[in-house]
């Protein structure tokens, strides 16, 4: 600013002689640090300052001035985006308030104010506005602070309450006379309440920010649309000033009332009108039009730097505000007569102002989020998304919609209308779980200490789906701490798999974790029966109870059984968390405690991602929202096969991701089909229905060339990097939120699983048949090839039949029905061991390379509680091969007339029946009693079929 003479500044200083205060409509740390603000105070006589989200956005996002302060805030501990922003804003507001404190003191506390706005997101929420205003008032802790509260309908009662608390309030977003009168009344009522409570009302101050130029912007646009000869042309640039003059006249009437005089006698200061939005928008007007036209006693004019400089240079000071008030009324009357709809314009401007301030706040928080991510560096898992142009344009548009419709805030506030507006709000406890709110860390620490003291050699988790897959990831990735048992996860009814686990452990030295959210899931119930009998055959009942713990929701049958059998401990689940979202609750962290893992460290690491994906992390800077929108938009474009390529340390996450994606989105004929553990192929073998997700621990990555090749070929490619092993838990947070957001895009409820229950019902009915001794008939096979029988069902039932038909011929006909964007699923009801998995991987690779379709694989019954939902309820694009076998040695279930082999067979047949009911294309191949030989024959038949 020029330092020549005081004369040039007297045009601004002269406003004080008229009774009008000049406030600066701008704040930036730079003017606090370089002395510019002090110069404006000393030379121009500026007596206050206002800020708003748009001003802070320009300040913080517009350079690196604030970077060092952000680094300092993050040096010792990570913070969420809102906390970081408020740390910066409060520091600036405090510094500005301190700069104006001498002015404030010299004027007896009647000026020298600095304004800080409550979140624009709260403009329509009275109670939230009150709470935030009180919090900011305490945080800034300066007597010359004013809290800015919007003059919306819900804002009016907040203003009354806050003034009644003795808080200085700057009412913003006032456009109409009616709105001004409402807030003036609220201010007086608040003063009276404060006085009645014994408060000193001379210490409470307020202004009413009346916006000016925006009114002319809309009115003039209406006038211009009517053409050059319309009589309304004479009103261009006059309506906003007339509106302000009429409001000021009503202010003069108000301070003349007996009510106000009584308050003034007790020391109340005038509730001044403040002219906001005084910069000229139309270049045809003088750049000092509004400041010159609105000069009068007991008012404030907030001037942006450009307008302040213009007034300093050539502004004219006259008492214009009280001049020709009748003429102002005539302008308002004429505008009404000419149907310019001033009332409609001002109402629209309030709504628009709320939206624009919220958008500016969005931009501000996004800028802080981006800077935070950069500063955190390797403490935060990274993500890049490369999409083909059409899909990228779609995603960009949806992210804008997500920002406009406040998806993140609605998600974290539990707004079911974000999805289908059914029961979604009941199932959002997982959001708090990611912050550690679903567990008692002291309870889990006690469990960990007891387990260590007991010196168990193994722990065996008996669960299914969400109860087992999360713990399996934790055990596979992190192992167990010294002195803690090795964890085995048993989620199968296959006799061979059960026998293998039993053979691996010393029953007397093993802790069993029976895990079931509902407490009535078949698999953990019968596994519990079996191992309870085996343990009680080794030790007595009391000692057996000390080798069992339960994880279940309160009041479940499992809880009752556990307490009756004297289980060592019962960990309670959180009823508002569904199974597949439960890994950060007792269902996952209970197992982590048994393993001796650092629970607080895991949660603290997870919170880093929570802060990146929280309610204040806007879509454009929110990694989970960006991922969810990309996946949802890709699925709608036909690219619904989410193919994971993972480094060894990240590979265990695959089974957990399968359930999360498939069970959450695969319904109503829509969904994401997760493809994990498929052998990697050349770029050319992949169809156009894929999205590729590369998930790598840093240092293990070897697929960058493939990722680049796929992206260059036009495939969507998402790359996620985990800088350190302990940070893999951040992916639980990212993917849970991403899947919830994908559900928004797809228009489905991501928290139900309607088709999973169908298979349970079928399996239960067949199991009852077995238990009752009724024969369960397989039906006539299409063929029997060297002891391997092939059965058809559903849309495949019309295939060829014949005594001489080979398995290869049946498969050839079956595969012949594969269409573009189909996928083939191998659903294996056999022991989940490495040899079987490898044989099925080879078959998958052959099918994928020959047909050019995605392939999936699941072992039953675990896939029933996972990907089975998408296979039955998602897109009807799957060709399924159910693979069954006869157990070499069956195992009876204690207390039941069933064997595990019969349960497994009932589940397999029930699954096939539901696939048939859903019109899916399905075959069943029974390998007979020799599974290894049967798999070999199946592999040979696939080879012959695909020639």
């Amino acid at each position: 600013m020029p330092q020549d003479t005081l004369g040039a500044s007297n045009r601004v200083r002269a406003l004080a002689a008229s009774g009008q205060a000049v406030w600066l409509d701008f704040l930036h740390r730079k003017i606090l640090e370089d002395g510019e603000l002090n110069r404006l105070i000393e030379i121009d006589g500026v007596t206050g300052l206002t800020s708003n989200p748009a001003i802070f956005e320009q300040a913080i996002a517009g350079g690196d001035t604030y970077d060092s302060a952000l680094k300092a805030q993050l040096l010792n501990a990570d913070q969420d985006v809102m906390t970081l922003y408020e740390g910066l804003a409060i520091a600036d507001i405090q510094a500005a308030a301190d700069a104006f404190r001498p002015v404030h003191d010299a004027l007896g506390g009647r000026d020298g104010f600095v304004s800080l706005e409550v979140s624009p997101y709260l403009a329509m929420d009275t109670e939230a506005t009150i709470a935030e205003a009180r919090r900011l008032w305490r945080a800034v802790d300066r007597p010359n602070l004013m809290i800015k509260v919007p003059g919306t309908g819900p804002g009016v009662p907040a203003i009354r309450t806050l003034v009644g608390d003795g808080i200085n309030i700057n009412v913003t977003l006032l456009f109409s006379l009616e709105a001004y009168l409402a807030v003036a009344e609220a201010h007086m009522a608040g003063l009276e309440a404060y006085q009645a409570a014994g408060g000193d009302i001379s210490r409470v101050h307020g202004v009413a920010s009346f916006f000016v130029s925006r009114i002319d912007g809309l009115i003039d646009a209406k006038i211009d649309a009517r053409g050059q000869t319309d009589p309304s042309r004479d009103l261009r640039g006059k309506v906003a000033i007339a509106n302000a003059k009429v409001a000021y006249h009503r202010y003069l009437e108000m301070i003349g009332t007996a009510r106000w005089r009584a308050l003034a006698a007790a020391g109340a200061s005038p509730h001044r009108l403040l002219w906001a939005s005084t910069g000229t928008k139309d270049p045809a007007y003088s750049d000092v039009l509004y400041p010159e036209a609105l000069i009068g006693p007991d008012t404030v004019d907030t001037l942006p730097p450009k307008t302040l400089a213009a007034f300093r240079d050539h502004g004219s000071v006259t008492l214009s505000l009280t001049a020709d008030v009748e003429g102002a009324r005539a302008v308002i009357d004429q505008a009404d007569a000419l149907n310019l709809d001033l009332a409609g314009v001002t109402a629209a401007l309030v709504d628009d102002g709320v939206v624009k301030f919220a958008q500016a706040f969005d931009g501000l928080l996004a800028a802080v989020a981006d800077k935070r991510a950069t500063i955190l560096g390797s403490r935060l898992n990274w993500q890049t998304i490369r999409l083909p142009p059409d899909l990228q344009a779609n995603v960009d548009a949806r992210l804008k919609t997500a920002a406009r419709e406040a998806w993140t805030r609605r998600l974290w506030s539990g707004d079911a209308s974000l999805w289908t507006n059914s029961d979604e709000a009941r199932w959002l406890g997982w959001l708090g779980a990611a912050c550690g709110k679903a567990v008692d860390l002291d309870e889990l620490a006690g469990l960990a200490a007891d387990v260590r003291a007991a010196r168990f050699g193994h722990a065996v988790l008996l669960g299914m789906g969400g109860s087992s897959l999360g713990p399996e990831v934790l055990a596979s990735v992190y192992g167990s701490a010294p002195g803690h048992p090795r964890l085995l996860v048993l989620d199968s009814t296959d006799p061979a798999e059960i026998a293998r686990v039993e053979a691996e452990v010393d029953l007397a030295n093993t802790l069993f974790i029976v895990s079931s959210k509902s407490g009535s899931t078949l698999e953990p119930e019968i596994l519990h029966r079996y191992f309870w009998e085996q343990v009680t055959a080794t030790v007595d009942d009391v000692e057996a109870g000390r080798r069992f713990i339960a994880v279940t929701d309160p009041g479940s049958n499992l809880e009752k059984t556990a307490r009756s059998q004297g289980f060592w401990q019962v960990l309670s689940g959180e009823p508002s968390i569904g199974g597949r979202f439960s890994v950060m609750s007792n269902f996952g962290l209970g197992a982590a405690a048994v393993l001796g893992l650092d629970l607080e460290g895991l949660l603290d690491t997870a919170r880093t991602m929570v802060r990146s994906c929280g309610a204040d992390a806007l879509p454009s800077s929110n990694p989970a929202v960006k991922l969810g929108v990309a996946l949802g938009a890709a699925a709608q474009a036909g690219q619904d096969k989410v193919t994971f390529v993972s480094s060894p340390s990240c590979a265990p996450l695959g089974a957990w991701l399968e359930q999360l994606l498939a069970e959450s989105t695969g319904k109503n004929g829509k969904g994401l089909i997760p493809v994990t553990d498929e052998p990697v192929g050349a770029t050319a073998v992949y169809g156009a229905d894929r999205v590729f997700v590369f998930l790598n621990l840093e240092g293990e990555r070897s697929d960058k060339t493939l990722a680049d090749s796929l992206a260059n070929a036009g495939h969507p490619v998402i790359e996620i990097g985990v800088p350190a092993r302990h940070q893999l838990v951040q992916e639980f947070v990212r993917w849970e939120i991403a899947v919830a957001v994908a559900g928004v895009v797809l228009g489905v409820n991501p928290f139900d699983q309607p088709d999973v229950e169908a298979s349970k019902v079928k399996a239960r009915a067949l199991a009852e048949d077995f238990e009752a001794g009724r024969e369960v008939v397989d039906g006539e096979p299409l063929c029997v090839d060297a002891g391997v029988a092939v059965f058809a069902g559903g849309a495949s039932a019309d295939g060829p039949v014949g005594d001489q038909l080979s398995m290869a011929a049946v498969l050839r006909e079956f595969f012949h029905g594969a269409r573009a964007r189909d996928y083939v699923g191998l659903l294996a009801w056999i022991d989940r061991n490495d040899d079987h998995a490898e044989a099925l991987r080879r078959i998958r690779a052959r099918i994928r390379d020959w047909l050019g379709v995605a392939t999936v694989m699941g072992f039953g019954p675990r896939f029933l509680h996972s990907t089975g939902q998408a296979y039955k309820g998602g897109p009807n694009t799957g060709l399924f091969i159910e693979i069954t076998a006869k157990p070499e040695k069956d195992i009876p279930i204690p207390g039941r007339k069933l064997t595990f082999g019969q349960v497994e067979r009932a589940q397999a047949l029930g699954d096939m029946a539901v696939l048939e009911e859903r019109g899916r294309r399905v075959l069943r191949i029974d390998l007979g009693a020799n599974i290894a030989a049967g798999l070999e024959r199946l592999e040979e038949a696939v080879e012959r079929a695909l020639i």
Side-chain angles (χ1 to χ4, degrees), residues 333-643:
D333 291 342
Q334 189 177 2
D336 183 54
L338 292 171
N339 296 316
L340 291 176
D341 190 20
L342 177 59
V345 165
T346 56
L349 284 169
V350 173
D351 294 339
D352 183 63
V354 170
V355 170
K356 285 185 175 177
F357 274 11
Q359 289 174 340
F361 207 53
D362 286 352
L364 164 62
L365 295 180
V368 174
D370 290 341
K371 288 177 180 290
R372 170 184 170 273
T374 299
I375 293 167
L376 285 178
S378 63
R379 285 185 280 170
L380 179 67
N381 293 1
W382 56 264
Q383 169 184 287
T384 61
I385 300 177
R386 290 184 281 177
L387 306 175
D390 289 350
L391 181 56
Q392 184 66 62
N394 188 356
V395 168
D396 290 342
R398 289 180 180 274
L399 287 172
K400 290 179 181 177
T401 298
R404 184 174 64 253
E405 296 179 355
W407 288 9
T408 53
R409 296 195 298 279
R410 290 167 63 193
L411 167 65
W412 284 89
S413 68
D415 182 355
S417 70
L418 187 59
W419 296 282
T420 68
N421 208 21
S422 53
D423 69 343
E424 290 91 344
R426 292 180 49 207
W427 299 104
L428 294 173
W430 52 275
L431 290 166
C435 303
K437 296 180 180 178
V439 295
D440 182 336
L441 287 177
D442 290 338
E443 178 184 46
L444 293 180
L447 172 63
D450 290 345
V451 168
R452 180 180 174 87
R455 304 186 66 82
F456 292 111
H458 286 90
V460 177
L461 188 143
L462 310 175
M464 184 56 62
S467 299
S468 63
L469 296 175
E472 185 176 69
V473 174
L474 294 170
S476 298
V477 172
Y478 298 115
S480 55
H484 286 263
R486 177 178 170 230
L487 178 68
L488 304 177
V489 173
L490 181 57
D491 55 356
S492 178
T493 52
D494 185 81
E497 196 164 341
I498 296 168
R500 189 173 66 255
V501 170
E502 183 178 1
E504 189 172 346
V505 304
D506 174 4
L507 292 173
N509 192 34
T510 297
L511 176 66
F512 290 89
I513 307 169
V514 186
S515 188
S516 171
K517 179 176 173 62
S518 67
S520 60
T521 303
L522 173 65
E523 295 88 349
E525 192 270 328
I526 59 178
L527 288 169
H528 162 224
R529 282 175 177 266
Y530 177 73
F531 282 102
W532 179 262
E533 182 172 89
Q534 301 308 107
V535 173
T536 54
T538 305
V539 300
D540 62 37
D541 286 3
V542 173
E543 285 298 316
R546 292 176 184 153
R547 286 159 177 78
F548 281 80
I549 65 174
V551 188
T552 188
D553 278 3
S556 74
N557 288 333
L558 174 56
E559 181 186 43
K560 296 171 185 174
T561 300
R563 298 200 186 281
S564 69
Q565 290 184 334
F567 274 29
W568 192 21
Q569 189 161 351
V570 176
L571 296 177
S572 293
E574 167 52 54
S576 65
I577 303 176
R580 60 187 173 275
F581 290 86
S582 67
V583 66
M584 302 302 283
S585 73
N586 276 330
F587 286 98
L589 296 187
V594 170
L595 290 167
L597 303 184
D598 176 9
L599 302 187
E600 184 56 54
L602 291 176
L603 285 168
D604 189 55
T605 300
R607 289 186 195 106
T608 301
M609 184 61 75
V610 170
R611 297 182 188 106
S612 295
C613 305
D616 50 8
L618 280 299
S620 62
S621 298
N622 188 314
V625 174
K626 291 167 73 174
L627 175 60
V629 168
L631 292 174
Q636 289 185 321
Q639 294 163 305
D640 57 359
K641 313 305 186 302
V642 184
T643 304

Side-chain angles (χ1 to χ4, degrees), residues 785-863:
D785 191 333
V788 176
V790 182
F791 300 85
S796 305
D798 296 330
V801 180
D803 293 337
Q804 304 303 313
L805 199 63
S806 69
M807 179 165 43
V810 174
L811 288 171
R812 185 178 302 115
E813 184 68 20
F814 183 66
F815 291 143
H816 184 71
R819 304 177 295 260
R821 303 186 188 279
D822 279 349
Y823 65 101
V824 172
L826 305 180
L827 310 180
W829 295 87
I830 56 178
D831 182 11
R832 185 169 64 96
N833 63 39
D834 291 342
D835 289 342
H836 295 167
E838 183 55 36
L840 294 174
R841 277 170 55 84
R842 291 194 300 269
I843 294 172
R844 291 177 71 182
R846 179 63 173 160
I847 293 170
R848 188 269 320 279
D849 291 350
W850 186 263
L851 297 179
V853 299
T855 65
V856 299
M857 178 180 72
F859 284 90
R862 63 192 263 144
F863 80 80

